[in-house]
Amino acid sequence: MTRSLLFIFLMIACLRAKAQTYSITGTISYDKGVIPGATVFLTNTKKTTSTDASGRFMLNGLQPGSYEVVVNMIGFIADKQSIKLEEKSLDIAFKLKESNTMLRTVTIKGKAIKQDPQDLRIFTSSFLGFSGNASQCKILNPEVLSFKKNNKTEMLEARADDFLEIQNDALGYKLKYLLTKFQYQFTSAICYFEGDPYFEEMKGTDEQQKQWEKNRIVAYLGSCRHYFKAVMAGNSRAQGFYTYEYRQKLSTKESPLRRLIDIDSEMVAVNKNFKVMLARQVVLKKDTIRSTLHIYYLNHISQIKQFVDTITVDKRGVITPGNGFYFNGYWASQRIADLTPLDYFVDPLEQKK
């Protein structure tokens, strides 16, 4: 093959590789017409835009995978759609509902809204986390938060009337987080929250940039997303993960049976972009066998229990639905301060080379 022909083939290969990105476009409207100026973003990414005068938006340069498209606009109830990009771009539509209560300001009739400092401390630590990164992470606008206590259930709930703005000086990100649910149980100290963030890169000195990158590598390696991305690549053990299955009969107090499994091959391949994890809890002779996966990575241990029949994983390590697992151990301790965007990736095998 001549050099010119080889060059042409290489160019075609490059063009094909670039062509494997897609876009999500759409229109945002309500009963009275289109909505210009609405914020549109993809959860856990740096992809964000706003609608134009005709209510249209575009998010491009997207790899095949599962995405959550979120729309937010003052005066309307935020909305979200789960999207799967495979072999073509998609055009979607949102029809928002007007909110009964407009954005709450920080004063009512000239009086400042009071927050219990203890409630704010509980929320901040539970939400941001307890890692070293959390000590360098702060909520810039805590005034948008309001709290409610239920004395019967001993539960603290929180809501936010606008995006929570978070500055992470450890990883070099600013996040905007649309909080949809927060619950903290006082007796058990168990916290549960849901929401949709998007990221913005912070600007810093060369020294800061280097330190941010070091911290991002530490935050990513061993994370839930790193694990599932490695599973999709079929080399989770080579990347340092060891997956053990613990099986226990619920009717007895016997110690659970423990076995090392090849999780890469046990996942069911849908196509080159998606795999499916099937529920591992089974019923044998009227006895339920509960299955828990324990994932070891260096000195970290994480446990996961699956609550839905199937969980889909894409090549970026994104799991759908996001609440299909119950996490315990190291992954449960990773909170907002340890988040990296979905387009952030470190290959430890390449680093070893």
Side-chain angles (χ1 to χ4, degrees), residues 1-12:
M1 184 181 293
T2 65
R3 288 186 177 182
S4 58
L5 282 175
L6 178 61
F7 177 77
I8 292 172
F9 278 120
L10 289 173
M11 287 294 294
I12 292 173

Side-chain angles (χ1 to χ4, degrees), residues 20 42 82 112 114 127 179 243 246 256 284 293 318 337:
Q20 294 303 308
L42 301 180
S82 296
K114 294 182 179 180
F127 181 67
L179 184 72
T243 305
Y246 284 69
L284 296 174
L293 296 184
V318 178

Side-chain angles (χ1 to χ4, degrees), residues 41-69:
F41 65 93
L42 301 180
T43 296
N44 283 312
T45 73
K46 292 180 287 185
K47 289 285 187 180
T48 180
T49 186
S50 57
T51 53
D52 60 20
S54 59
R56 295 286 297 172
F57 71 88
M58 172 180 284
L59 297 161
N60 53 25
L62 305 177
Q63 296 179 2
S66 300
Y67 295 90
E68 290 187 326
V69 187

Side-chain angles (χ1 to χ4, degrees), residues 86-149:
E86 293 191 72
E87 298 179 351
K88 63 179 181 179
S89 297
L90 294 177
D91 190 85
I92 59 178
F94 285 87
K95 191 168 185 178
L96 302 187
K97 295 180 180 179
E98 292 184 87
S99 175
N100 292 328
T101 56
M102 294 294 286
L103 175 64
R104 181 181 65 120
T105 60
V106 296
T107 59
I108 296 178
K109 296 180 180 179
K111 295 182 179 180
I113 295 174
K114 294 182 179 180
Q115 289 177 337
D116 186 334
Q118 179 65 14
D119 293 343
L120 184 57
R121 281 194 294 268
I122 290 173
F123 175 86
T124 301
S125 60
S126 301
F127 181 67
L128 297 181
F130 307 93
S131 66
N133 292 336
S135 64
Q136 300 182 60
C137 200
K138 57 188 175 183
I139 300 173
L140 302 178
N141 59 340
E143 67 275 2
V144 303
L145 288 164
S146 57
F147 301 98
K148 182 176 69 174
K149 290 178 182 176

Side-chain angles (χ1 to χ4, degrees), residues 99-304:
S99 175
N100 292 328
T101 56
M102 294 294 286
L103 175 64
R104 181 181 65 120
T105 60
V106 296
T107 59
I108 296 178
K109 296 180 180 179
K111 295 182 179 180
I113 295 174
K114 294 182 179 180
Q115 289 177 337
D116 186 334
Q118 179 65 14
D119 293 343
L120 184 57
R121 281 194 294 268
I122 290 173
F123 175 86
T124 301
S125 60
S126 301
F127 181 67
L128 297 181
F130 307 93
S131 66
N133 292 336
S135 64
Q136 300 182 60
C137 200
K138 57 188 175 183
I139 300 173
L140 302 178
N141 59 340
E143 67 275 2
V144 303
L145 288 164
S146 57
F147 301 98
K148 182 176 69 174
K149 290 178 182 176
N150 188 319
N151 293 327
K152 289 184 179 180
T153 60
E154 297 187 322
M155 187 84 71
L156 175 68
E157 297 182 357
R159 58 163 285 182
D161 292 318
D162 198 0
F163 281 106
L164 282 173
E165 298 179 8
I166 302 150
Q167 181 169 312
N168 191 334
D169 290 321
L171 302 184
Y173 294 122
K174 284 188 176 180
L175 288 81
K176 288 196 173 182
Y177 193 97
L178 195 61
L179 184 72
T180 55
K181 188 174 186 178
F182 177 90
Q183 293 180 330
Y184 177 87
Q185 227 284 328
F186 286 101
T187 54
S188 63
I190 292 176
C191 170
Y192 176 80
F193 60 85
E194 291 180 357
D196 299 289
Y198 69 87
F199 293 76
E200 297 174 358
E201 292 268 2
M202 290 172 56
K203 295 181 179 179
T205 63
D206 290 344
E207 185 177 346
Q208 285 176 315
Q209 295 284 355
K210 290 178 181 178
Q211 187 60 52
W212 287 341
E213 183 55 28
K214 289 179 181 178
N215 294 344
R216 291 172 184 178
I217 291 173
V218 173
Y220 174 79
L221 292 179
S223 66
C224 175
R225 190 162 63 83
H226 175 206
Y227 172 72
F228 281 108
K229 187 173 177 64
V231 169
M232 285 294 296
N235 59 6
S236 64
R237 198 170 297 181
Q239 293 202 37
F241 292 100
Y242 290 84
T243 305
Y244 289 86
E245 182 182 38
Y246 284 69
R247 281 195 164 196
Q248 185 174 30
K249 294 180 180 180
L250 298 186
S251 62
T252 68
K253 294 184 179 179
E254 297 176 5
S255 298
L257 296 175
R258 176 179 181 264
R259 68 185 183 101
L260 180 65
I261 64 173
D262 181 8
I263 189 65
D264 300 359
S265 61
E266 290 196 18
M267 296 274 286
V268 180
V270 178
N271 52 41
K272 64 181 180 180
N273 296 313
F274 298 93
K275 285 184 178 180
V276 169
M277 178 180 281
L278 303 177
R280 308 179 74 86
Q281 183 163 294
V282 296
V283 177
L284 296 174
K285 295 181 180 180
K286 298 182 181 180
D287 198 350
T288 300
I289 309 296
R290 182 175 61 193
S291 174
T292 305
L293 296 184
H294 291 229
I295 296 92
Y296 291 74
Y297 183 86
L298 300 178
N299 60 335
H300 301 313
I301 304 175
S302 304
Q303 299 91 36
I304 57 175

